[in-house]
mmCIF file of all heavy atoms in Angstrom:
data_model
loop_
_atom_site.group_PDB
_atom_site.id
_atom_site.type_symbol
_atom_site.label_atom_id
_atom_site.label_comp_id
_atom_site.label_asym_id
_atom_site.label_seq_id
_atom_site.Cartn_x
_atom_site.Cartn_y
_atom_site.Cartn_z
ATOM 1 N N GLU A 404 5.432 -24.255 11.446
ATOM 2 C CA GLU A 404 6.381 -23.182 11.112
ATOM 3 C C GLU A 404 5.945 -21.861 11.734
ATOM 4 O O GLU A 404 6.772 -21.084 12.233
ATOM 5 C CB GLU A 404 6.479 -23.041 9.589
ATOM 6 C CG GLU A 404 7.125 -24.221 8.891
ATOM 7 C CD GLU A 404 7.015 -24.137 7.384
ATOM 8 O OE1 GLU A 404 5.878 -23.955 6.874
ATOM 9 O OE2 GLU A 404 8.043 -24.256 6.691
ATOM 10 N N ILE A 405 4.643 -21.608 11.696
ATOM 11 C CA ILE A 405 4.123 -20.346 12.244
ATOM 12 C C ILE A 405 4.342 -20.288 13.747
ATOM 13 O O ILE A 405 4.722 -19.251 14.299
ATOM 14 C CB ILE A 405 2.628 -20.199 11.905
ATOM 15 C CG1 ILE A 405 2.449 -20.072 10.387
ATOM 16 C CG2 ILE A 405 2.036 -18.976 12.603
ATOM 17 C CD1 ILE A 405 1.015 -20.181 9.929
ATOM 18 N N ALA A 406 4.109 -21.400 14.439
ATOM 19 C CA ALA A 406 4.306 -21.447 15.890
ATOM 20 C C ALA A 406 5.738 -21.104 16.251
ATOM 21 O O ALA A 406 6.005 -20.375 17.216
ATOM 22 C CB ALA A 406 3.931 -22.836 16.416
ATOM 23 N N SER A 407 6.684 -21.602 15.469
ATOM 24 C CA SER A 407 8.095 -21.292 15.717
ATOM 25 C C SER A 407 8.379 -19.810 15.485
ATOM 26 O O SER A 407 9.149 -19.191 16.222
ATOM 27 C CB SER A 407 8.966 -22.145 14.787
ATOM 28 O OG SER A 407 10.327 -21.767 14.869
ATOM 29 N N ALA A 408 7.718 -19.231 14.471
ATOM 30 C CA ALA A 408 7.972 -17.830 14.125
ATOM 31 C C ALA A 408 7.434 -16.867 15.172
ATOM 32 O O ALA A 408 8.083 -15.865 15.493
ATOM 33 C CB ALA A 408 7.373 -17.514 12.759
ATOM 34 N N VAL A 409 6.240 -17.151 15.711
ATOM 35 C CA VAL A 409 5.602 -16.197 16.626
ATOM 36 C C VAL A 409 5.746 -16.574 18.087
ATOM 37 O O VAL A 409 5.304 -15.831 18.978
ATOM 38 C CB VAL A 409 4.103 -16.006 16.281
ATOM 39 C CG1 VAL A 409 3.940 -15.515 14.855
ATOM 40 C CG2 VAL A 409 3.321 -17.295 16.511
ATOM 41 N N GLY A 410 6.371 -17.727 18.365
ATOM 42 C CA GLY A 410 6.596 -18.117 19.754
ATOM 43 C C GLY A 410 5.337 -18.513 20.490
ATOM 44 O O GLY A 410 5.208 -18.273 21.694
ATOM 45 N N ARG A 411 4.385 -19.119 19.790
ATOM 46 C CA ARG A 411 3.148 -19.624 20.397
ATOM 47 C C ARG A 411 2.995 -21.102 20.054
ATOM 48 O O ARG A 411 3.651 -21.621 19.162
ATOM 49 C CB ARG A 411 1.927 -18.855 19.862
ATOM 50 C CG ARG A 411 1.982 -17.340 20.008
ATOM 51 C CD ARG A 411 1.695 -16.881 21.412
ATOM 52 N NE ARG A 411 1.660 -15.430 21.506
ATOM 53 C CZ ARG A 411 0.560 -14.690 21.412
ATOM 54 N NH1 ARG A 411 -0.616 -15.282 21.209
ATOM 55 N NH2 ARG A 411 0.611 -13.373 21.522
ATOM 56 N N SER A 412 2.086 -21.761 20.746
ATOM 57 C CA SER A 412 1.806 -23.155 20.428
ATOM 58 C C SER A 412 1.025 -23.229 19.122
ATOM 59 O O SER A 412 0.427 -22.236 18.675
ATOM 60 C CB SER A 412 0.988 -23.797 21.545
ATOM 61 O OG SER A 412 -0.309 -23.222 21.603
ATOM 62 N N GLU A 413 1.019 -24.431 18.524
ATOM 63 C CA GLU A 413 0.246 -24.595 17.290
ATOM 64 C C GLU A 413 -1.233 -24.349 17.537
ATOM 65 O O GLU A 413 -1.919 -23.730 16.712
ATOM 66 C CB GLU A 413 0.460 -26.005 16.720
ATOM 67 C CG GLU A 413 1.857 -26.209 16.129
ATOM 68 C CD GLU A 413 1.989 -27.546 15.427
ATOM 69 O OE1 GLU A 413 1.043 -27.932 14.692
ATOM 70 O OE2 GLU A 413 3.016 -28.209 15.609
ATOM 71 N N ALA A 414 -1.736 -24.800 18.679
ATOM 72 C CA ALA A 414 -3.149 -24.594 19.003
ATOM 73 C C ALA A 414 -3.465 -23.103 19.115
ATOM 74 O O ALA A 414 -4.496 -22.632 18.621
ATOM 75 C CB ALA A 414 -3.498 -25.316 20.303
ATOM 76 N N ALA A 415 -2.567 -22.370 19.763
ATOM 77 C CA ALA A 415 -2.779 -20.924 19.908
ATOM 78 C C ALA A 415 -2.744 -20.241 18.545
ATOM 79 O O ALA A 415 -3.523 -19.310 18.286
ATOM 80 C CB ALA A 415 -1.721 -20.338 20.829
ATOM 81 N N CYS A 416 -1.860 -20.697 17.672
ATOM 82 C CA CYS A 416 -1.764 -20.103 16.331
ATOM 83 C C CYS A 416 -3.017 -20.391 15.507
ATOM 84 O O CYS A 416 -3.467 -19.531 14.736
ATOM 85 C CB CYS A 416 -0.520 -20.627 15.614
ATOM 86 S SG CYS A 416 1.022 -19.966 16.275
ATOM 87 N N ARG A 417 -3.583 -21.580 15.664
ATOM 88 C CA ARG A 417 -4.830 -21.899 14.962
ATOM 89 C C ARG A 417 -5.950 -20.972 15.421
ATOM 90 O O ARG A 417 -6.764 -20.499 14.624
ATOM 91 C CB ARG A 417 -5.215 -23.362 15.202
ATOM 92 C CG ARG A 417 -4.297 -24.360 14.513
ATOM 93 C CD ARG A 417 -4.716 -25.792 14.791
ATOM 94 N NE ARG A 417 -3.742 -26.726 14.270
ATOM 95 C CZ ARG A 417 -3.689 -27.153 13.015
ATOM 96 N NH1 ARG A 417 -4.599 -26.717 12.149
ATOM 97 N NH2 ARG A 417 -2.763 -27.997 12.626
ATOM 98 N N GLN A 418 -5.987 -20.707 16.732
ATOM 99 C CA GLN A 418 -7.000 -19.804 17.270
ATOM 100 C C GLN A 418 -6.795 -18.379 16.760
ATOM 101 O O GLN A 418 -7.748 -17.696 16.387
ATOM 102 C CB GLN A 418 -6.970 -19.828 18.793
ATOM 103 C CG GLN A 418 -8.081 -19.019 19.444
ATOM 104 C CD GLN A 418 -8.099 -19.170 20.947
ATOM 105 O OE1 GLN A 418 -7.230 -19.793 21.531
ATOM 106 N NE2 GLN A 418 -9.094 -18.573 21.588
ATOM 107 N N LEU A 419 -5.538 -17.935 16.737
ATOM 108 C CA LEU A 419 -5.227 -16.603 16.217
ATOM 109 C C LEU A 419 -5.607 -16.496 14.741
ATOM 110 O O LEU A 419 -6.116 -15.461 14.291
ATOM 111 C CB LEU A 419 -3.741 -16.301 16.397
ATOM 112 C CG LEU A 419 -3.261 -15.987 17.816
ATOM 113 C CD1 LEU A 419 -1.732 -15.962 17.862
ATOM 114 C CD2 LEU A 419 -3.825 -14.644 18.281
ATOM 115 N N ALA A 420 -5.366 -17.566 13.996
ATOM 116 C CA ALA A 420 -5.699 -17.562 12.570
ATOM 117 C C ALA A 420 -7.210 -17.428 12.365
ATOM 118 O O ALA A 420 -7.669 -16.679 11.489
ATOM 119 C CB ALA A 420 -5.193 -18.834 11.903
ATOM 120 N N THR A 421 -7.987 -18.132 13.190
ATOM 121 C CA THR A 421 -9.442 -18.056 13.094
ATOM 122 C C THR A 421 -9.935 -16.652 13.413
ATOM 123 O O THR A 421 -10.791 -16.091 12.709
ATOM 124 C CB THR A 421 -10.094 -19.070 14.049
ATOM 125 O OG1 THR A 421 -9.677 -20.390 13.690
ATOM 126 C CG2 THR A 421 -11.610 -18.979 13.986
ATOM 127 N N GLN A 422 -9.391 -16.046 14.478
ATOM 128 C CA GLN A 422 -9.773 -14.694 14.862
ATOM 129 C C GLN A 422 -9.420 -13.693 13.770
ATOM 130 O O GLN A 422 -10.236 -12.826 13.409
ATOM 131 C CB GLN A 422 -9.075 -14.300 16.171
ATOM 132 C CG GLN A 422 -9.512 -15.095 17.380
ATOM 133 C CD GLN A 422 -8.622 -14.868 18.585
ATOM 134 O OE1 GLN A 422 -8.751 -15.540 19.615
ATOM 135 N NE2 GLN A 422 -7.686 -13.925 18.488
ATOM 136 N N ALA A 423 -8.218 -13.808 13.261
ATOM 137 C CA ALA A 423 -7.761 -12.868 12.243
ATOM 138 C C ALA A 423 -8.583 -12.998 10.969
ATOM 139 O O ALA A 423 -8.972 -11.997 10.354
ATOM 140 C CB ALA A 423 -6.281 -13.110 11.942
ATOM 141 N N ARG A 424 -8.877 -14.237 10.566
ATOM 142 C CA ARG A 424 -9.662 -14.462 9.352
ATOM 143 C C ARG A 424 -11.066 -13.868 9.498
ATOM 144 O O ARG A 424 -11.596 -13.265 8.562
ATOM 145 C CB ARG A 424 -9.751 -15.959 9.070
ATOM 146 C CG ARG A 424 -10.233 -16.300 7.666
ATOM 147 C CD ARG A 424 -10.309 -17.810 7.460
ATOM 148 N NE ARG A 424 -9.038 -18.449 7.735
ATOM 149 C CZ ARG A 424 -8.845 -19.313 8.743
ATOM 150 N NH1 ARG A 424 -9.830 -19.612 9.564
ATOM 151 N NH2 ARG A 424 -7.665 -19.868 8.919
ATOM 152 N N ARG A 425 -11.640 -14.003 10.689
ATOM 153 C CA ARG A 425 -12.974 -13.450 10.922
ATOM 154 C C ARG A 425 -12.958 -11.923 10.819
ATOM 155 O O ARG A 425 -13.825 -11.323 10.171
ATOM 156 C CB ARG A 425 -13.478 -13.880 12.300
ATOM 157 C CG ARG A 425 -14.902 -13.388 12.596
ATOM 158 C CD ARG A 425 -15.463 -13.980 13.868
ATOM 159 N NE ARG A 425 -14.693 -13.594 15.039
ATOM 160 C CZ ARG A 425 -13.937 -14.424 15.755
ATOM 161 N NH1 ARG A 425 -13.849 -15.695 15.403
ATOM 162 N NH2 ARG A 425 -13.269 -13.997 16.808
ATOM 163 N N HIS A 426 -11.940 -11.294 11.436
ATOM 164 C CA HIS A 426 -11.833 -9.833 11.360
ATOM 165 C C HIS A 426 -11.638 -9.363 9.919
ATOM 166 O O HIS A 426 -12.237 -8.369 9.490
ATOM 167 C CB HIS A 426 -10.664 -9.341 12.220
ATOM 168 C CG HIS A 426 -10.892 -9.477 13.690
ATOM 169 N ND1 HIS A 426 -12.082 -9.123 14.290
ATOM 170 C CD2 HIS A 426 -10.081 -9.919 14.687
ATOM 171 C CE1 HIS A 426 -11.995 -9.347 15.594
ATOM 172 N NE2 HIS A 426 -10.806 -9.837 15.854
ATOM 173 N N MET A 427 -10.800 -10.072 9.173
ATOM 174 C CA MET A 427 -10.540 -9.682 7.788
ATOM 175 C C MET A 427 -11.788 -9.875 6.923
ATOM 176 O O MET A 427 -12.136 -9.016 6.110
ATOM 177 C CB MET A 427 -9.377 -10.499 7.223
ATOM 178 C CG MET A 427 -8.028 -10.206 7.884
ATOM 179 S SD MET A 427 -7.423 -8.525 7.560
ATOM 180 C CE MET A 427 -6.973 -8.652 5.829
ATOM 181 N N ASP A 428 -12.491 -10.990 7.108
ATOM 182 C CA ASP A 428 -13.688 -11.253 6.313
ATOM 183 C C ASP A 428 -14.789 -10.246 6.608
ATOM 184 O O ASP A 428 -15.542 -9.842 5.710
ATOM 185 C CB ASP A 428 -14.197 -12.674 6.575
ATOM 186 C CG ASP A 428 -13.291 -13.738 5.968
ATOM 187 O OD1 ASP A 428 -12.467 -13.387 5.105
ATOM 188 O OD2 ASP A 428 -13.405 -14.909 6.369
ATOM 189 N N ASP A 429 -14.894 -9.846 7.868
ATOM 190 C CA ASP A 429 -15.921 -8.869 8.241
ATOM 191 C C ASP A 429 -15.691 -7.523 7.565
ATOM 192 O O ASP A 429 -16.653 -6.789 7.276
ATOM 193 C CB ASP A 429 -15.939 -8.664 9.766
ATOM 194 C CG ASP A 429 -16.536 -9.857 10.497
ATOM 195 O OD1 ASP A 429 -17.179 -10.692 9.837
ATOM 196 O OD2 ASP A 429 -16.340 -9.962 11.718
ATOM 197 N N GLY A 430 -14.432 -7.173 7.313
ATOM 198 C CA GLY A 430 -14.119 -5.867 6.736
ATOM 199 C C GLY A 430 -14.065 -5.838 5.232
ATOM 200 O O GLY A 430 -14.048 -4.762 4.625
ATOM 201 N N ARG A 431 -14.025 -7.017 4.592
ATOM 202 C CA ARG A 431 -13.912 -7.064 3.140
ATOM 203 C C ARG A 431 -15.268 -6.891 2.462
ATOM 204 O O ARG A 431 -16.289 -7.328 2.980
ATOM 205 C CB ARG A 431 -13.325 -8.424 2.709
ATOM 206 C CG ARG A 431 -11.823 -8.542 2.908
ATOM 207 C CD ARG A 431 -11.353 -9.824 2.243
ATOM 208 N NE ARG A 431 -9.915 -9.969 2.297
ATOM 209 C CZ ARG A 431 -9.287 -10.986 2.875
ATOM 210 N NH1 ARG A 431 -9.979 -11.924 3.485
ATOM 211 N NH2 ARG A 431 -7.969 -11.062 2.864
ATOM 212 N N PRO A 432 -15.279 -6.279 1.274
ATOM 213 C CA PRO A 432 -16.535 -6.215 0.507
ATOM 214 C C PRO A 432 -16.938 -7.613 0.063
ATOM 215 O O PRO A 432 -16.088 -8.478 -0.174
ATOM 216 C CB PRO A 432 -16.172 -5.336 -0.694
ATOM 217 C CG PRO A 432 -14.682 -5.449 -0.826
ATOM 218 C CD PRO A 432 -14.170 -5.607 0.576
ATOM 219 N N ARG A 433 -18.236 -7.831 -0.067
ATOM 220 C CA ARG A 433 -18.723 -9.168 -0.421
ATOM 221 C C ARG A 433 -18.437 -9.517 -1.875
ATOM 222 O O ARG A 433 -18.207 -10.663 -2.211
ATOM 223 C CB ARG A 433 -20.233 -9.261 -0.160
ATOM 224 C CG ARG A 433 -20.607 -9.211 1.309
ATOM 225 C CD ARG A 433 -22.091 -9.434 1.505
ATOM 226 N NE ARG A 433 -22.495 -10.735 1.006
ATOM 227 C CZ ARG A 433 -23.772 -11.115 0.895
ATOM 228 N NH1 ARG A 433 -24.745 -10.275 1.212
ATOM 229 N NH2 ARG A 433 -24.073 -12.321 0.445
ATOM 230 N N PHE A 434 -18.473 -8.536 -2.760
ATOM 231 C CA PHE A 434 -18.276 -8.803 -4.183
ATOM 232 C C PHE A 434 -17.197 -7.868 -4.722
ATOM 233 O O PHE A 434 -17.470 -6.720 -5.024
ATOM 234 C CB PHE A 434 -19.584 -8.621 -4.961
ATOM 235 C CG PHE A 434 -20.709 -9.468 -4.442
ATOM 236 C CD1 PHE A 434 -21.713 -8.900 -3.678
ATOM 237 C CD2 PHE A 434 -20.744 -10.829 -4.699
ATOM 238 C CE1 PHE A 434 -22.754 -9.681 -3.191
ATOM 239 C CE2 PHE A 434 -21.775 -11.606 -4.226
ATOM 240 C CZ PHE A 434 -22.786 -11.036 -3.457
ATOM 241 N N ALA A 435 -15.991 -8.357 -4.802
ATOM 242 C CA ALA A 435 -14.872 -7.543 -5.286
ATOM 243 C C ALA A 435 -14.782 -7.634 -6.811
ATOM 244 O O ALA A 435 -15.153 -8.647 -7.411
ATOM 245 C CB ALA A 435 -13.570 -8.006 -4.655
ATOM 246 N N ALA A 436 -14.289 -6.568 -7.427
ATOM 247 C CA ALA A 436 -14.145 -6.550 -8.884
ATOM 248 C C ALA A 436 -12.974 -7.433 -9.300
ATOM 249 O O ALA A 436 -11.979 -7.545 -8.582
ATOM 250 C CB ALA A 436 -13.906 -5.121 -9.352
ATOM 251 N N ASP A 437 -13.095 -8.085 -10.483
ATOM 252 C CA ASP A 437 -11.970 -8.876 -10.959
ATOM 253 C C ASP A 437 -10.936 -7.964 -11.601
ATOM 254 O O ASP A 437 -11.178 -6.774 -11.834
ATOM 255 C CB ASP A 437 -12.422 -9.981 -11.909
ATOM 256 C CG ASP A 437 -13.042 -9.463 -13.204
ATOM 257 O OD1 ASP A 437 -12.657 -8.366 -13.663
ATOM 258 O OD2 ASP A 437 -13.902 -10.147 -13.762
ATOM 259 N N ARG A 438 -9.791 -8.530 -11.898
ATOM 260 C CA ARG A 438 -8.647 -7.742 -12.360
ATOM 261 C C ARG A 438 -8.957 -7.008 -13.660
ATOM 262 O O ARG A 438 -8.644 -5.835 -13.817
ATOM 263 C CB ARG A 438 -7.443 -8.681 -12.545
ATOM 264 C CG ARG A 438 -6.129 -7.976 -12.752
ATOM 265 C CD ARG A 438 -4.992 -8.985 -12.903
ATOM 266 N NE ARG A 438 -3.713 -8.317 -12.906
ATOM 267 C CZ ARG A 438 -2.997 -8.071 -11.826
ATOM 268 N NH1 ARG A 438 -3.472 -8.428 -10.642
ATOM 269 N NH2 ARG A 438 -1.826 -7.474 -11.894
ATOM 270 N N ARG A 439 -9.617 -7.694 -14.614
ATOM 271 C CA ARG A 439 -9.925 -7.063 -15.898
ATOM 272 C C ARG A 439 -10.909 -5.914 -15.726
ATOM 273 O O ARG A 439 -10.750 -4.853 -16.320
ATOM 274 C CB ARG A 439 -10.507 -8.094 -16.869
ATOM 275 C CG ARG A 439 -10.922 -7.490 -18.204
ATOM 276 C CD ARG A 439 -11.576 -8.495 -19.115
ATOM 277 N NE ARG A 439 -10.633 -9.498 -19.569
ATOM 278 C CZ ARG A 439 -10.963 -10.498 -20.405
ATOM 279 N NH1 ARG A 439 -12.212 -10.596 -20.842
ATOM 280 N NH2 ARG A 439 -10.054 -11.373 -20.802
ATOM 281 N N GLU A 440 -11.930 -6.118 -14.890
ATOM 282 C CA GLU A 440 -12.914 -5.067 -14.655
ATOM 283 C C GLU A 440 -12.258 -3.837 -14.044
ATOM 284 O O GLU A 440 -12.551 -2.701 -14.453
ATOM 285 C CB GLU A 440 -14.021 -5.581 -13.725
ATOM 286 C CG GLU A 440 -15.099 -4.546 -13.415
ATOM 287 C CD GLU A 440 -16.096 -5.041 -12.393
ATOM 288 O OE1 GLU A 440 -16.048 -6.245 -12.046
ATOM 289 O OE2 GLU A 440 -16.910 -4.230 -11.913
ATOM 290 N N ARG A 441 -11.368 -4.052 -13.072
ATOM 291 C CA ARG A 441 -10.667 -2.925 -12.450
ATOM 292 C C ARG A 441 -9.837 -2.172 -13.479
ATOM 293 O O ARG A 441 -9.827 -0.939 -13.512
ATOM 294 C CB ARG A 441 -9.764 -3.422 -11.321
ATOM 295 C CG ARG A 441 -10.483 -3.973 -10.120
ATOM 296 C CD ARG A 441 -9.564 -4.006 -8.909
ATOM 297 N NE ARG A 441 -8.309 -4.685 -9.164
ATOM 298 C CZ ARG A 441 -8.059 -5.950 -8.845
ATOM 299 N NH1 ARG A 441 -8.993 -6.682 -8.252
ATOM 300 N NH2 ARG A 441 -6.892 -6.496 -9.101
ATOM 301 N N ALA A 442 -9.106 -2.924 -14.302
ATOM 302 C CA ALA A 442 -8.222 -2.289 -15.285
ATOM 303 C C ALA A 442 -9.019 -1.473 -16.301
ATOM 304 O O ALA A 442 -8.626 -0.354 -16.661
ATOM 305 C CB ALA A 442 -7.388 -3.347 -15.994
ATOM 306 N N GLU A 443 -10.139 -2.019 -16.776
ATOM 307 C CA GLU A 443 -10.958 -1.303 -17.763
ATOM 308 C C GLU A 443 -11.567 -0.046 -17.164
ATOM 309 O O GLU A 443 -11.594 1.015 -17.803
ATOM 310 C CB GLU A 443 -12.052 -2.237 -18.288
ATOM 311 C CG GLU A 443 -11.524 -3.369 -19.163
ATOM 312 C CD GLU A 443 -12.621 -4.326 -19.596
ATOM 313 O OE1 GLU A 443 -13.751 -4.203 -19.053
ATOM 314 O OE2 GLU A 443 -12.359 -5.183 -20.454
ATOM 315 N N LEU A 444 -12.051 -0.142 -15.926
ATOM 316 C CA LEU A 444 -12.639 1.023 -15.271
ATOM 317 C C LEU A 444 -11.585 2.098 -15.040
ATOM 318 O O LEU A 444 -11.838 3.293 -15.242
ATOM 319 C CB LEU A 444 -13.276 0.611 -13.943
ATOM 320 C CG LEU A 444 -14.056 1.698 -13.198
ATOM 321 C CD1 LEU A 444 -15.229 2.187 -14.036
ATOM 322 C CD2 LEU A 444 -14.546 1.165 -11.861
ATOM 323 N N ALA A 445 -10.381 1.674 -14.635
ATOM 324 C CA ALA A 445 -9.303 2.635 -14.393
ATOM 325 C C ALA A 445 -8.906 3.343 -15.679
ATOM 326 O O ALA A 445 -8.641 4.553 -15.677
ATOM 327 C CB ALA A 445 -8.095 1.924 -13.782
ATOM 328 N N GLU A 446 -8.866 2.613 -16.787
ATOM 329 C CA GLU A 446 -8.514 3.227 -18.075
ATOM 330 C C GLU A 446 -9.528 4.301 -18.449
ATOM 331 O O GLU A 446 -9.163 5.399 -18.872
ATOM 332 C CB GLU A 446 -8.450 2.153 -19.160
ATOM 333 C CG GLU A 446 -8.011 2.688 -20.512
ATOM 334 C CD GLU A 446 -7.873 1.598 -21.563
ATOM 335 O OE1 GLU A 446 -8.096 0.412 -21.232
ATOM 336 O OE2 GLU A 446 -7.548 1.940 -22.718
#
Side-chain angles (χ1 to χ4, degrees):
E404 292 171 307
I405 295 169
S407 173
V409 302
R411 305 283 184 94
S412 67
E413 289 187 43
C416 288
R417 290 180 187 277
Q418 186 175 6
L419 286 170
T421 300
Q422 294 169 187
R424 195 180 304 115
R425 183 172 62 249
H426 290 315
M427 293 294 288
D428 289 344
D429 287 345
R431 283 189 176 121
R433 292 185 61 189
F434 304 104
D437 64 30
R438 192 179 188 90
R439 177 184 292 181
E440 180 186 351
R441 292 199 307 262
E443 290 176 350
L444 186 62
E446 183 177 359

